[in-house]
């Protein structure tokens, strides 16, 4: 049986966490501290997995049902949404570490210092980097255009 918004509001925290099923793998987990989290249970390769979809009421019942349907389509195509989410987070973390500032500092230290450039040249390169840092220093290097 599907949940309603009225039923969800009425769920009160218990001594331990408990679940209330909606439909087609979607359920609401209610914790002792009162938080209510949406989760989706699915199977990939014969193994049961779960993925978090957000907290109620920030993520509504209708929004979660739409997301559930999208995820179920991706699962039917053979994709593991939890694995995809982990890959996307790792990619974002790596690209965030490759900022213009970090690449430029690495270039100065490896290329210019390694070649034995004059101290005045190194100071000027670092000065240029300090000038550019507020404008584009935080940007991923892939987003910086000439």
């Amino acid at each position: 049986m599907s949940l309603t918004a009225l039923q969800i509001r009425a769920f009160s925290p218990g001594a331990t966490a408990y679940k209330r099923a909606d439909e087609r793998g979607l359920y609401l987990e209610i914790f002792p501290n009162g938080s209510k989290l949406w989760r989706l249970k699915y199977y990939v390769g014969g193994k049961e997995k779960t993925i978090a979809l957000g907290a109620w009421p920030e993520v509504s019942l209708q929004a979660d049902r739409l997301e559930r349907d999208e995820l179920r389509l991706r699962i039917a195509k053979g994709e593991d949404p939890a694995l995809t989410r982990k890959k996307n987070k790792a990619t974002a973390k790596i690209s965030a570490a490759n900022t213009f500032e970090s690449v430029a500092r690495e270039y100065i230290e490896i290329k210019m210092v390694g070649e034995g450039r004059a101290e005045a040249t190194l100071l000027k390169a670092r000065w240029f980097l300090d000038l550019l840092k507020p404008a584009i220093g935080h940007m991923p290097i892939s987003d910086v255009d000439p």
Side-chain angles (χ1 to χ4, degrees):
M1 187 170 126
S2 299
L3 294 174
T4 64
L6 189 61
Q7 289 174 324
I8 294 170
R9 276 189 220 104
F11 293 142
S12 58
T16 60
Y18 63 97
K19 302 173 186 176
R20 291 293 179 248
D22 183 44
E23 57 185 18
R24 296 190 296 185
L26 182 65
Y27 65 92
L28 187 67
E29 192 167 4
I30 298 98
F31 291 92
N33 66 0
S35 64
K36 299 172 184 176
L37 301 178
W38 290 110
R39 304 213 188 272
L40 177 66
K41 179 170 64 172
Y42 64 98
Y43 294 88
V44 173
K47 291 186 178 183
E48 181 181 307
K49 294 188 172 192
T50 59
I51 188 168
L53 301 180
W56 188 86
E58 288 83 23
V59 180
S60 70
L61 179 58
Q62 291 172 334
D64 263 331
R65 286 180 178 161
L66 289 174
E67 188 172 356
R68 176 208 54 207
D69 294 339
E70 291 171 12
L71 290 174
R72 286 178 59 90
L73 287 174
R74 290 174 30 198
I75 292 165
K77 292 178 184 176
E79 183 182 329
D80 183 354
L83 186 61
T84 304
R85 188 180 281 182
K86 284 181 185 178
K87 285 180 183 178
N88 291 342
K89 280 185 179 182
T91 303
K93 190 174 183 180
I94 289 170
S95 67
N98 287 333
T99 62
F100 175 80
E101 180 185 4
S102 65
V103 171
R105 286 202 188 285
E106 185 178 345
Y107 175 81
I108 290 169
E109 296 305 317
I110 293 173
K111 191 75 172 155
M112 298 180 89
V113 173
E115 289 179 356
R117 298 282 175 106
E119 189 62 33
T121 303
L122 296 174
L123 284 173
K124 192 168 197 174
R126 290 182 182 123
W127 176 72
F128 278 133
L129 178 58
D130 288 339
L131 289 176
L132 290 172
K133 191 174 14 173
I136 62 172
H138 64 282
M139 291 177 64
I141 193 69
S142 59
D143 292 349
V144 177
D145 293 329

